Amino acid sequence: MSSFLAAALQLTSTPDPDANFAAAEELIELAARRGADLVGLPENFAFMGDDARRLELAPLLAERCSRFLVTMARRYQVTLLGGGFPVPAGEGQTFNRAELVGREGQLLARYDKIHLFDVDLPDGITYRESATVQPGHEPPPVVDVPGLCRVGLSICYDVRFPELYRQLAGSGAQLLMIPAAFTAYTGKDHWQVLLQARAIENTAYVLAPAQTGLHYGRRQTHGHALVIDPWGTVMADAGVEPGLAMAPVDMAHEARVRAQMPSLQHRHPALF
Ligand SMILES: O=C(O)CNC(=O)[C@H](CS)NC(=O)CCC(=O)C(=O)O
């Protein structure tokens, strides 16, 4: 059974796509040099800035991000997740899209975020993602990555909706991708708890690339990109600086945990 290294990258993305692509490549190269086979970039890896600028850049970013992922996957021979980038979706709207690309540059899976972050936080900051983002039309896919494992996609705020991950696990996901740009405010209390819960209840690995630090305006993100094993143990934590969290992913370990803790098989038919 397969065992490999997975890396969750952590960036402080800015409103400057060139700087962001350069920072992302540096970390992809570092992860590859350390032996990673599966590498994840966070949500908004190519652009963190205001809505007007994001909408203006969306056609360019959509094309550049897809091309960047293909080029990087081939150049560094890794399976690469782009954890969220804008794709034009009609007047004044984008999708928030993730793409998973194989090491030969082939598109393995694509997902448009379905849960949008429309929240008023107690710190006075209001988020209205739906003002400029259109929700995806389909639940996220599960894809078999040749030689690695079956991977389920999701993005950021999705982590608060356990039914999404139950569906991924039911479709055979062995590793859950949860790339994020979590707010510092919610992150301090919710981020790690939610991620560990998703790992434990689905007895699955969680790979959670993250944004960290101060971006534009008052936007501050939580950091702590994590790799979590199917028991819920945090295997690697990137802290608060740009960098990476890297750990082995071992399908034999997952099979053992699932045999010892068969909760996925004990789901009550009345509840699904
Ligand atoms: O704000 C930005 O510029 C970047 N953030 C994002 O793109 C997205 C949508 S606004 N952030 C989240 O989903 C945070 C979720 C979250 O933090 C939670 O669920 O607590």
Side-chain angles (χ1 to χ4, degrees), residues 43-44 113 117 129 156-157 160 181-183 186 216 219:
E43 190 185 27
N44 303 322
K113 190 183 190 186
F117 192 53
E129 189 175 19
C156 196
Y157 186 51
R160 294 180 184 274
F182 232 65
T183 73
T186 55
Y216 63 106
R219 283 288 214 275

Side-chain angles (χ1 to χ4, degrees), residues 46-250:
F47 180 82
M48 277 283 278
D50 63 47
D51 285 344
R53 185 75 177 138
R54 185 169 49 76
L55 288 171
E56 192 184 322
L57 289 176
L60 188 81
L61 283 172
E63 209 215 293
R64 275 190 78 182
C65 285
S66 287
R67 221 169 350 104
F68 176 79
L69 295 171
V70 170
T71 306
M72 291 299 111
R74 282 203 187 119
R75 181 173 298 163
Y76 297 106
Q77 288 292 295
V78 294
T79 298
L80 182 61
L81 175 82
F85 58 88
V87 174
E91 192 54 42
Q93 297 267 300
T94 65
F95 292 114
N96 185 348
R97 178 170 292 174
E99 285 184 350
L100 185 68
V101 175
R103 60 199 306 159
E104 275 94 47
Q106 75 279 30
L107 181 66
L108 293 170
R110 164 182 286 170
Y111 166 60
D112 295 335
K113 190 183 190 186
I114 57 173
H115 297 106
L116 301 181
F117 192 53
D118 290 351
V119 176
D120 301 311
L121 293 183
D123 66 358
I125 304 186
T126 289
Y127 296 83
R128 282 291 172 277
E129 189 175 19
S130 70
T132 56
V133 176
Q134 210 174 103
H137 304 301
E138 308 281 345
V142 173
V143 62
D144 189 10
V145 180
L148 300 186
C149 67
R150 287 190 299 275
V151 171
L153 301 193
S154 70
I155 302 178
C156 196
Y157 186 51
D158 282 334
V159 75
R160 294 180 184 274
F161 302 87
E163 61 275 17
L164 181 150
Y165 299 91
R166 267 291 145 91
Q167 192 168 319
L168 292 176
S171 302
Q174 297 165 305
L175 180 146
L176 306 167
M177 288 284 198
I178 314 181
F182 232 65
T183 73
Y185 189 91
T186 55
K188 67 184 183 334
D189 300 317
H190 297 168
W191 170 246
Q192 185 172 323
V193 183
L194 286 168
L195 291 170
Q196 284 182 297
R198 299 298 83 84
I200 293 166
E201 69 203 2
N202 296 297
T203 48
Y205 279 94
V206 164
L207 191 72
Q211 291 284 349
T212 193
L214 199 54
H215 306 269
Y216 63 106
R218 288 194 291 155
R219 283 288 214 275
Q220 189 150 10
T221 52
H222 176 66
H224 294 283
L226 298 176
V227 184
I228 304 176
D229 89 340
W231 185 254
T233 304
V234 173
M235 306 299 289
D237 180 337
V240 294
E241 300 298 326
L244 52 82
M246 189 156 128
V249 167
D250 180 357

Side-chain angles (χ1 to χ4, degrees), residues 248-260:
V249 167
D250 180 357
M251 285 307 115
H253 173 61
E254 181 163 294
R256 271 193 306 276
V257 170
R258 286 181 170 191
Q260 288 158 354

Side-chain angles (χ1 to χ4, degrees), residues 15-52:
D16 176 357
D18 288 327
N20 298 334
F21 286 123
E25 178 164 9
E26 222 172 275
L27 287 180
I28 296 165
E29 183 180 15
L30 181 64
R33 262 199 280 118
R34 292 189 189 169
D37 281 316
L38 180 64
V39 176
L41 289 162
E43 190 185 27
N44 303 322
F45 65 94
F47 180 82
M48 277 283 278
D50 63 47
D51 285 344

